[in-house]
Amino acid sequence: MPDNTTHTKRDDRPEESRRALLSRTFDEDAELYDRARPGYPPELYDDLAQLAGAGPGGRVLEVGCGTGQATVPLAGRGCRITAVEAGPNMAKVARRNLAGVTAVEVVTAEFEAWPLPEEPFDAVVSATAFHWIDPMVRMAKAADALRPGGALAVVRSQHVMGGTEEFFVEVQRCYERFDPETRPGLRPPAAADIDGSDHAKEVERSGRFGPTVFRRYEQDLTYTTSEYLEVLGTYSGHRALPDAARSGLLGSIAGLIDGRYGGRVTKRYLIELGVSHRW
């Protein structure tokens, strides 16, 4: 449940038995999600344009747009976007963030049940959301949404070793105290140890796409104590904790940051882009 993981488990692999339940937690506080969740590096959007055709005039279907963390930059680069978001509160904030942008439509719907339009898309983009879509549906429906040669572009994020490394060692004791499911000794993995082959294999198994091309980016973000707690408050695992455990956990983490790290910590993210073209 904590965001600290080893190389044996990615941040974005929810247990299938809990996937649907955890996916609904994001909509509980859309304003917090909008305020706290980080965006993506500019290089990602350069590669989306070059590799996936998500550039000026490109017709893009975004799956799971959240409050628009990727939608707003894509719109700013001239994409024509249909953004599908299951959470009504998240979709409402996304519409607010995109007010006045005529080339974007935000649809409130579950992607699995949403009827595809007749005109196919140049690219299907999903930023830190594709793993919440039903694995029995997502590849086939993404392929059905694309024109021949169109691209599926999946963005995934992972907390990796770096930043304020000693804090992420010490904070594990907070998780072990308040979350009984925490395995002792968890540590952020090195970026080089993160394996993206699970996505490439899923794409290959679908039989609908060519080989997957990957690009990787690392970014360090520094948070004050309150900012870091807000980020944690957007993670499904933290939100799913019982109220008393979550309150105790966040209070313990705040005490650690304020008491030993001067009220600021830096977290390193690995962002991975995988692009696959439809046959």
Side-chain angles (χ1 to χ4, degrees), residues 88-245:
N89 295 317
M90 302 277 272
K92 180 179 178 180
V93 176
R95 292 187 190 99
R96 183 188 70 200
N97 290 338
L98 291 153
V101 182
T102 58
V104 178
E105 178 189 13
V106 178
V107 178
T108 304
E110 293 185 354
F111 176 66
E112 296 91 332
W114 180 63
L116 293 173
E118 290 186 9
E119 183 182 357
F121 293 89
D122 300 311
V124 172
V125 176
S126 188
T128 322
F130 204 60
H131 54 286
W132 295 116
I133 306 301
D134 186 343
M136 300 299 292
V137 174
R138 59 195 179 203
M139 283 296 167
K141 190 157 187 177
D144 289 344
L146 288 165
R147 62 169 174 78
L152 169 63
V154 174
V155 180
R156 304 202 289 177
S157 297
Q158 175 84 25
H159 175 201
V160 295
M161 186 184 302
T164 312
E165 291 191 13
E166 187 60 29
F167 164 74
F168 291 105
V169 173
E170 290 194 72
V171 78
Q172 195 60 34
R173 291 195 293 271
C174 303
Y175 286 100
E176 291 172 5
R177 177 182 176 188
F178 291 101
D179 178 10
E181 294 186 8
T182 299
R183 289 181 293 132
L186 290 176
R187 299 291 183 267
D193 291 337
I194 298 299
D195 183 5
S197 64
D198 61 320
H199 176 66
K201 290 174 181 176
E202 183 180 1
V203 170
E204 183 179 8
R205 285 196 303 270
S206 75
R208 304 289 301 276
F209 297 91
T212 302
V213 175
F214 289 101
R215 296 289 185 271
R216 287 185 162 197
Y217 327 84
E218 293 182 36
Q219 62 178 4
D220 286 357
L221 297 180
T222 298
Y223 298 100
T224 65
T225 302
S226 61
E227 289 169 343
Y228 189 66
L229 295 186
E230 286 198 330
V231 170
L232 295 183
T234 69
Y235 293 146
S236 60
H238 291 72
R239 297 192 65 86
L241 283 171
D243 290 345

Side-chain angles (χ1 to χ4, degrees), residues 32-51:
L32 173 63
Y33 190 97
D34 186 56
R35 182 170 66 247
R37 276 296 177 110
Y40 303 97
E43 300 92 327
L44 170 69
Y45 299 99
D46 295 338
D47 286 337
L48 279 171
Q50 179 182 356
L51 299 175

